[in-house]
Amino acid sequence: MKAYKYVGKPIPRQDVSKVFGDAIYAYDVKLPGMLYAKLVGSTYAHARIKRIDYSKALKVPGVIKVFTGEDFPFKVGIYAADRDVLARGKVLYYGHPVAGVVAETPEAAEEAAELIEVEYEPLEPVLTIEDALRPDAPLIHEHMEEYRHASFIYPRPGTNIANYLKLRKGNVKKGFEEADVVVEGEYREPLISHAYMENWVGIARVLSDGTVEIWSSHQSPFAVRHLLAASLGLPIGKVVVHHTFIGGGFGGKAGLLLEHIPVLFSMKLGGRPVRLELNREENFLFMAQRAGYLFKMKTGATKDGKLIAHYGEYYLDAGAYADYTVNIGRSVGFVPTGPYEVPNIHVDSITVYTNKVPTTAFRGFGMQEMHFAFEQQIEQLAEKLGMDPLEFRLKNAIVPGKSYLPTQVRVREDAGDPAGTMKRAAELISWGKKPEKPGEPWKFRGIGIASFWKGPVQPPNAASSAIVKVNEDGSVDVLVGTGEMGQGTIYALAQIVAEELGIPVEKVRVAPIRSTDSVAYTWQTVGSRGLFSEGQALMRALDDLKNQMKEIAARVFNVFKDEIEIKDGKACVKGKPWECISLAEMALGYTLPNGNAIHGPLIGRGSHVPSQTTYLDPETGRGEPKPFMTFGTSAVEVEVDLLNMRVRVLKAVTVLDTPVINPGLALGQAYGGAVMGISIALNEELKLTKDGRLLNPNFTDYKVARAGDIPVEMVAEFLGVGQKNAPYGAKGVGELTMIAWPAAIANAIYNAIGVRIKKLPITPDNLLEAIKEQRPELLKELDKYLLGGE
Amino acid sequence: MAETITIRLKVNGVEKEVAVKPNERLLDVLREKFYINSVKAGCLRGECGICTVIMNGRLVKSCLVLAPEADGAEILTVEGLSRPGKPSVVQRAFIEKFGFQCGFCTPAFIMAAYWIVENMPNASEEEIKEILNSMICRCTGYKQIIEAIKYAIELKKQA
Ligand code: FES
Ligand code: FES
């Protein structure tokens, strides 16, 4: 990459208020006269509500009002509006909010909530994908045909299917006839939680002119605004969403969260501010989590090592509300294989409702889950072919400019460098060298690799925009709508501004705390799209601004515009660095010697839409789904300890093809994504009792990685192969860093002990089960060591 | 209404008497009576550690300390480490080494880092991890936090 002054440098983030303790999160927002809301969750997974008695609750001093589902007879949602505000008629999962109390103090609200009595008539809960698809399965959503949904979602009313996506490429039957080796597998991945550190909080009020204001813990302020307005029938210009810092999102705070609840409560209470703050247990129960998965795959290759056919049935266990998850069903359906060219594909991706906690987006949007399965198919095919798995990958890797996507569109020439990431990751993990065997005979080491790709999953009109204003001292304010949830995209954008205008980065401000009525629109902060989308809009805004600077300078110095260049925050006549006007001098326009002022304040504007993306054909999935794909490969070295059945990741390597704007931020994503991905691979699972109650809504029993769990060594590299229409070539990285770990670890375990892991998480219990099934002799050997001889 | 009792606390050098309920958490007293914004709640049951502050020279989880137990105590939070615009050594290290992302856990990790720098200037990486094990950061993967702590130890030695 060409050397730049700011772009590509690890410039410290500007949000140092987080380090001083004065950063404001939704959690910190308090308004005068604020009331407190508390929700009451169902104690059944599936039941009819017979009666709700809240007379005792109303008697608690300080209680203002109790709401139930019947107060809000409509649905909310983004892709499939299937969510009730509070349960109506039926409860659909354990913890499903059935009532909400509003009181003057949190204590009164809590006390009242405990006094609400609900009588249920239990129904048979549907708790597995298989049960949900039984022809005689109880219907979870009895009136699905009435739900609003996006045009690209295909629900099946009268069943528990929330979305059914078909992908067809080539002729899969013929493909399998030509195949010399075929591998079939079933892979299961559990329901898991984002476990971000800030529990969801929302504070809403309604002003006397009808303006609805909300401060909440969300990723995408404009999506919250749109969905609030659309779901509640409010004029969008009267909804103002305030974006504060947020304590982690990882997809779990995308779209509309629970904002409608405090907004509706406030609307019914004369506009008084209402705060709904979830505690940790409630956050596990009331906030949407990540779906569980079942992948059934059959993949074929020819004896010269070419992938030839892939057949898949992909099932997403979406829980009670699939509002957002239906779009993840699309995501895994139209990118159903890893970063390889497969000429014949037949995949059905089926999102099903069950009586479990609702689900939503999660970092990677189904790609971690799909690659866990597909990257093991790849390894098994290579083994059957007697080929090195790396060589097999390289032979089939997408070739930009030549290969065709599963959606039948040709991959752009500057799409990236999939093969490059495979080679470099292999080098970094010392591919081909068996790791040293540890001294203890019950410990085994192995290495594993997994390649991946992903781009944003968004409608073809997912827009972004940017405004750049110049202040009187030559500093610059950037107004963009992308949220700040820790990823720091807005600070990378600041670096781009500094580079383009040649001003110190300290002179560029992108306010982290913003409102929808004062910054430029962006669709959502999801899918690793921020840098690409906002960045493109920003580059255009900067072009606009520079053009204006040139116009002013051309007039002042009596030259053509093309004789002016922008350098070091000035517009100068080319070749005459002494004939310049600085940004400060023209911030509000320029005053000529005779007093005439020209142009007025400098303000640049730029827009973005993902150009040339299309709708997909409903029968085949044909079309262009994404404006870019980031390619990468991760590799691990693991140690499997058969004594305690634990797997430790010793070394974790990630290589992404894209250049990055700020390596400090990008490495932060890489390390954070690796540790989260490893944690998901080895530990994480939301566990239910057989009647559907969540067993582990806390951090003692839902284990996320801690400092002591991280790999001994973590390495991340970016190859710097950019896409031409991306800002400085840079594509998204946030989600990409998390995708490969379960797959790479499973492959490494196979390398270590010859056991295939098809079920996550790889806990001691699940590992033991897999060993018993596949290589019981390992346990016999172990007994030998432990018992001391035969 | 539970009756209140009066306790005396010195928070970041400022001493004050406040009326509290006997079952009130130190966390809430700090946020509501001393206007300490940095102290956050993540679980209120001692699992996440993001409410960590220094009390009488020891790292404590302020959600697990009841207000009466803190009577007479000296409390230090990140607000007490620096003046606006002037980061302490530990804060500087977190900024320069990208030791934070969403920042929700950051005040807690900075207090742990400060404690390590003050009390264990020769801490090994393993020892650092052991202290950090009582807290969760879901964003960073801990690596840049650990790097920041090691760097802070270096900076402190140079000073
Ligand atoms: S809030 Fe105190 S440990 Fe989680
Ligand atoms: S920086 Fe987000 S939890 Fe630590």
Side-chain angles (χ1 to χ4, degrees):
Chain A
M1 192 161 141
K2 187 172 149 222
Y4 297 107
K5 195 153 176 205
Y6 301 105
V7 165
K9 300 277 159 66
I11 293 169
R13 319 168 53 107
Q14 291 183 6
D15 49 357
V16 296
S17 60
K18 291 172 178 171
V19 162
F20 290 100
D22 42 21
I24 297 292
Y25 298 79
Y27 172 76
D28 302 311
V29 174
K30 296 214 160 128
L31 297 180
M34 188 166 79
L35 300 171
Y36 297 84
K38 179 94 183 166
L39 302 179
V40 179
S42 138
T43 47
Y44 286 91
H46 197 191
R48 285 205 198 282
I49 303 170
K50 302 266 290 190
R51 191 178 57 95
I52 303 181
D53 179 356
Y54 50 83
S55 51
K56 284 189 203 136
L58 285 175
K59 293 201 185 100
V60 174
V63 168
I64 308 267
K65 179 93 183 152
V66 176
F67 295 103
T68 65
E70 303 313 320
D71 291 311
F72 312 107
F74 50 84
K75 300 259 177 192
V76 301
I78 175 167
Y79 297 113
D82 58 8
R83 295 156 64 187
D84 280 322
V85 177
L86 297 167
R88 277 190 292 155
K90 280 206 308 184
V91 291
L92 304 182
Y93 69 98
Y94 178 90
H96 194 168
V98 285
V101 184
V102 181
E104 278 165 358
T105 62
E107 293 79 12
E110 189 160 347
E111 192 186 331
E114 276 164 25
L115 296 173
I116 294 178
E117 291 164 16
V118 188
E119 201 185 306
Y120 296 100
E121 176 195 321
L123 300 169
E124 182 194 341
V126 178
L127 295 172
T128 63
I129 291 166
E130 287 84 347
D131 273 349
L133 293 172
R134 260 172 28 214
D136 64 336
L139 280 190
I140 296 170
H141 290 268
E142 290 158 6
H143 305 288
M144 209 195 295
E145 67 284 353
E146 293 166 14
Y147 297 178
R148 269 185 302 117
H149 61 82
S151 61
F152 46 77
I153 299 301
Y154 306 99
R156 299 212 166 154
T159 72
N160 288 318
I161 295 175
N163 186 27
Y164 198 110
L165 179 122
K166 297 181 211 164
L167 188 102
R168 310 285 184 262
K169 180 187 178 194
N171 181 340
V172 88
K173 192 166 166 275
K174 205 165 138 263
F176 279 114
E177 280 163 15
E178 286 165 28
D180 296 302
V181 292
V182 172
V183 165
E184 282 186 70
E186 270 191 38
Y187 305 85
R188 276 179 201 272
E189 297 163 68
L191 188 68
I192 63 168
S193 182
H194 310 83
Y196 38 71
M197 294 319 293
E198 184 192 22
N199 292 319
W200 188 84
V201 188
I203 305 101
R205 67 172 177 181
V206 187
L207 302 182
S208 40
D209 69 353
T211 304
V212 170
E213 281 190 286
I214 173 107
W215 290 256
S216 69
S217 185
H218 60 257
Q219 296 180 202
S220 312
F222 286 90
V224 171
R225 185 179 73 156
H226 163 68
L227 295 167
L228 270 180
S231 304
L232 310 188
L234 301 167
I236 200 160
K238 287 266 186 203
V239 178
V240 179
V241 177
H242 301 291
H243 181 75
T244 59
F245 282 117
I246 75 164
F250 315 116
K253 291 174 181 164
L256 180 72
L257 297 316
L258 300 180
E259 281 83 1
H260 49 288
I261 295 181
V263 165
L264 286 165
F265 287 5
S266 175
M267 285 169 76
K268 297 226 176 213
L269 294 171
R272 278 188 78 174
V274 174
R275 176 182 171 104
L276 174 63
E277 175 187 336
L278 305 185
N279 63 32
R280 183 54 65 182
E281 180 176 353
E282 290 168 337
N283 204 90
F284 274 105
L285 287 171
F286 302 159
M287 291 297 283
Q289 311 291 335
R290 193 207 77 184
Y293 285 78
L294 165 63
F295 291 95
K296 296 186 182 177
M297 291 185 173
K298 179 176 163 191
T299 316
T302 55
K303 58 177 175 305
D304 59 342
K306 276 290 205 184
L307 285 166
I308 182 82
H310 178 71
Y311 173 86
E313 290 169 29
Y314 300 177
Y315 300 94
L316 290 82
D317 178 354
Y321 293 138
D323 170 31
Y324 213 121
T325 297
V326 288
N327 200 31
I328 312 175
R330 283 176 80 226
S331 174
V332 296
F334 61 66
V335 183
T337 57
Y340 313 102
E341 179 154 38
V342 187
N344 304 295
I345 306 177
H346 178 123
V347 164
D348 291 325
S349 172
I350 303 150
T351 306
V352 305
Y353 286 116
T354 55
N355 290 117
K356 298 189 201 168
V357 65
T359 60
T360 188
F362 195 115
R363 193 179 196 175
F365 218 59
M367 287 295 105
Q368 174 179 75
E369 300 85 326
M370 185 281 291
H371 282 92
F372 170 68
F374 195 80
E375 281 296 290
Q376 294 199 72
Q377 292 283 102
I378 286 282
E379 296 259 328
Q380 293 167 79
L381 282 170
E383 190 178 8
K384 278 199 168 176
L385 287 164
M387 251 177 107
D388 176 273
L390 175 67
E391 198 192 322
F392 183 54
R393 283 185 175 84
L394 285 168
K395 211 166 176 143
N396 290 285
I398 290 278
V399 181
K402 294 216 167 66
S403 302
Y404 282 78
L405 294 173
T407 56
Q408 307 181 40
V409 173
R410 189 160 163 183
V411 179
R412 54 186 298 151
E413 200 175 64
D414 58 353
D417 187 7
T421 67
M422 295 171 188
K423 289 183 202 148
R424 183 62 187 142
E427 245 166 61
L428 288 168
I429 204 75
S430 312
W431 186 256
K433 232 172 76 195
K434 184 91 182 152
E436 235 169 84
K437 173 99 179 63
E440 303 92 324
W442 51 84
K443 285 187 180 170
F444 298 83
R445 288 191 181 176
I447 56 174
I449 197 164
S451 293
F452 55 90
W453 57 342
K454 185 184 181 298
V457 181
Q458 54 187 8
N461 65 347
S464 288
S465 50
I467 293 171
V468 184
K469 319 186 284 174
V470 181
N471 300 316
E472 294 91 316
D473 60 353
S475 64
V476 169
D477 281 329
V478 181
L479 308 183
V480 287
T482 196
E484 160 50 28
M485 50 184 158
Q487 84 283 37
T489 304
I490 56 174
Y491 307 113
L493 295 177
Q495 279 172 245
I496 291 179
V497 174
E499 190 70 52
E500 288 287 315
L501 298 178
I503 59 176
V505 72
E506 300 77 43
K507 292 196 100 171
V508 185
R509 180 175 160 78
V510 193
I513 296 188
R514 292 152 287 167
S515 305
T516 47
D517 57 355
S518 53
V519 290
Y521 175 86
T522 193
W523 171 69
Q524 282 223 63
T525 317
V526 295
S528 310
R529 70 182 283 279
L531 186 65
F532 178 84
S533 315
E534 257 64 50
Q536 236 190 32
L538 179 64
M539 292 298 274
R540 296 194 179 111
L542 289 166
D543 278 349
D544 185 21
L545 187 83
K546 286 194 274 186
N547 194 39
Q548 295 173 39
M549 293 168 71
K550 285 180 186 170
E551 262 167 25
I552 295 174
R555 251 176 100 175
V556 171
F557 296 117
N558 289 317
V559 296
F560 285 97
K561 226 165 63 181
D562 58 14
E563 291 178 87
I564 301 290
E565 63 182 351
I566 308 293
K567 249 175 87 178
D568 302 331
K570 293 182 228 152
C572 302
V573 177
K574 285 180 188 163
K576 293 187 180 174
W578 52 90
E579 290 191 0
C580 292
I581 310 177
S582 71
L583 266 173
E585 288 170 299
M586 60 171 119
L588 304 182
Y590 189 76
T591 306
L592 298 170
N594 71 355
N596 286 169
I598 57 169
H599 192 278
L602 283 176
I603 179 161
R605 58 156 286 277
S607 292
H608 156 90
V609 282
S611 31
Q612 295 190 325
T613 60
T614 68
Y615 295 124
L616 304 182
D617 183 278
E619 292 307 318
T620 63
R622 186 176 211 280
E624 177 61 272
K626 294 159 195 270
F628 71 85
M629 290 283 225
T630 305
F631 293 91
T633 301
S634 298
V636 291
E637 178 178 342
V638 303
E639 183 171 278
V640 183
D641 182 336
L642 294 186
L643 218 46
N644 57 19
M645 288 291 156
R646 291 203 178 278
V647 177
R648 249 182 91 207
V649 177
L650 301 174
K651 181 170 177 175
V653 167
T654 289
V655 180
L656 297 179
D657 61 351
T658 181
V660 298
I661 304 294
N662 182 321
L665 292 174
L667 286 174
Q669 289 301 305
Y671 302 143
V675 170
M676 186 185 257
I678 292 167
S679 180
I680 289 167
L682 299 182
N683 296 321
E684 297 186 29
E685 174 172 20
L686 287 168
K687 292 202 184 97
L688 304 181
T689 60
K690 61 177 187 320
D691 47 5
R693 188 166 61 83
L694 186 57
L695 272 170
N696 54 347
N698 58 65
F699 287 135
T700 303
D701 303 310
Y702 187 89
K703 288 196 194 313
V704 303
R706 299 192 182 236
D709 301 324
I710 71 174
V712 183
E713 195 185 349
M714 283 198 268
V715 184
E717 284 190 9
F718 306 93
L719 297 183
V721 181
Q723 181 167 306
K724 289 201 176 85
N725 64 349
Y728 290 83
K731 303 180 288 184
V733 303
E735 302 173 292
L736 278 297
T737 59
M738 203 191 72
I739 291 177
W741 305 104
I745 291 171
N747 288 338
I749 292 174
Y750 187 80
N751 182 250
I753 58 171
V755 172
R756 273 267 148 238
I757 303 293
K758 298 190 175 175
K759 184 168 149 197
L760 291 179
I762 314 168
T763 54
D765 284 348
N766 285 343
L767 180 61
L768 178 62
E769 200 186 292
I771 294 175
K772 273 186 186 159
E773 248 169 49
Q774 300 172 38
R775 292 202 60 202
E777 69 274 18
L778 282 175
L779 300 172
K780 287 223 184 73
E781 260 169 63
L782 188 63
D783 282 348
K784 237 175 14 199
Y785 299 123
L786 295 184
L787 304 174
E790 297 284 308
Chain B
M1 275 280 135
E3 46 185 284
T4 59
I5 56 162
T6 302
I7 62 164
R8 205 175 172 77
L9 278 182
K10 194 169 176 184
V11 179
N12 299 328
V14 178
E15 203 161 347
K16 202 159 87 171
E17 265 183 13
V18 287
V20 298
K21 282 177 233 136
N23 61 350
E24 215 169 314
R25 301 178 179 97
L26 175 61
L27 169 79
D28 298 316
V29 175
L30 290 174
R31 285 186 63 84
E32 274 147 38
K33 312 255 161 63
F34 287 85
Y35 308 106
I36 298 298
N37 184 62
S38 68
V39 185
K40 309 289 193 217
C43 69
L44 297 180
R45 40 182 273 175
E47 297 167 341
C48 74
I50 68 168
C51 61
T52 299
V53 299
I54 293 181
M55 179 164 112
N56 296 332
R58 292 175 43 205
L59 286 171
V60 299
K61 291 173 176 167
S62 63
C63 73
L64 293 184
V65 178
L66 290 180
E69 299 173 62
D71 191 11
E74 247 184 75
I75 311 278
L76 186 64
T77 72
V78 291
E79 284 89 344
L81 294 185
S82 57
R83 297 273 69 85
K86 275 231 161 61
S88 62
V89 157
V90 175
Q91 287 162 311
R92 204 182 121 195
F94 269 68
I95 294 169
E96 287 180 23
K97 297 290 176 191
F98 294 85
F100 62 99
Q101 289 180 25
C102 83
F104 207 68
C105 71
T106 306
F109 275 89
I110 289 190
M111 293 321 290
Y114 175 83
W115 191 88
I116 294 170
V117 170
E118 292 297 311
N119 297 290
M120 305 170 65
N122 299 314
S124 67
E125 185 156 329
E126 283 317 302
E127 286 167 324
I128 293 174
K129 284 182 183 169
E130 219 163 280
I131 305 248
L132 300 186
N133 262 345
S134 68
M135 33 216 310
I136 298 175
C137 171
R138 187 61 155 167
C139 299
T140 62
Y142 307 98
K143 183 171 158 86
Q144 286 162 311
I145 293 179
I146 295 163
E147 282 167 6
I149 296 175
K150 290 203 245 168
Y151 181 54
I153 292 175
E154 269 320 295
L155 287 175
K156 178 86 195 285
K157 279 190 186 143
Q158 283 164 22

